[in-house]
Amino acid sequence: MEKGMLFGLGSAFMAAILIFQNRLLARTEHTATIMFWIGLVASAGTMPMALAGWTNLTLTDALLLLTAGTFATIGMLLTVEAYRFGEVSALAAFPYARILFALTIGYFLFAEVASMRELSGAAIIIACGLLANRSRRSIGS
């Protein structure tokens, strides 16, 4: 198995743990507390590699990082709140929307054109997520 695949699987596994922990913590903790711990763990986990590969930032790079960090924080805040009020099974398909955002942002910001293979894969994943959510709703009714 390639190293990239292992990183991808590890990332998916850690995301599943994060979702599970968010759901559990949302029952007893305030959103600010959960956000603090997510930020602390993420910072501690990424700091060694950030320091090892540090380079000076241009103003443009700093602004891009600030913008990305702001949107990531808002996204995580909304995710924590979603898991506080929604069912995990009902929310499971929404992370796949990231594929559409990544394809769109890649096209407009970086002039990346997705291949037919990438578009087909994205369509299959999104369709399966929507079908799973639809069948979950019909079973629950």
Side-chain angles (χ1 to χ4, degrees), residues 42-57 65:
S43 297
T46 57
M47 188 66 68
M49 294 305 284
L51 293 175
W54 185 261
T55 58
N56 291 329
L57 298 175
L65 284 172

Side-chain angles (χ1 to χ4, degrees), residues 103-127:
L103 290 172
T104 304
I105 291 169
Y107 180 78
F108 286 108
L109 288 184
F110 304 109
E112 294 176 345
V113 179
S115 69
M116 275 311 289
R117 177 187 256 179
E118 292 166 334
L119 292 173
S120 299
I124 290 168
I125 291 169
I126 291 166

Side-chain angles (χ1 to χ4, degrees), residues 3 10 12 18 29 40 43 47 49 51 54 56 58 65 85 89 93-94 114-115 130 132 135:
K3 192 185 319 182
L18 178 65
E29 302 297 328
L40 183 67
S43 297
M47 188 66 68
M49 294 305 284
L51 293 175
W54 185 261
N56 291 329
T58 65
L65 284 172
F85 296 106
S89 60
F94 285 99
S115 69
L130 292 173
S135 65

Side-chain angles (χ1 to χ4, degrees), residues 5-6 21 28 33 36-37 39 55 62 66 77 79 81 84 86 90-91 96 102 115-117 131-132 134:
M5 290 175 72
L6 290 174
Q21 287 291 355
T28 59
T33 305
F36 170 79
W37 286 107
T55 58
L66 181 65
L77 178 74
T79 300
E81 288 299 305
R84 179 182 308 281
L91 298 169
Y96 296 115
S115 69
M116 275 311 289
R117 177 187 256 179
L131 286 171
R134 185 172 162 198

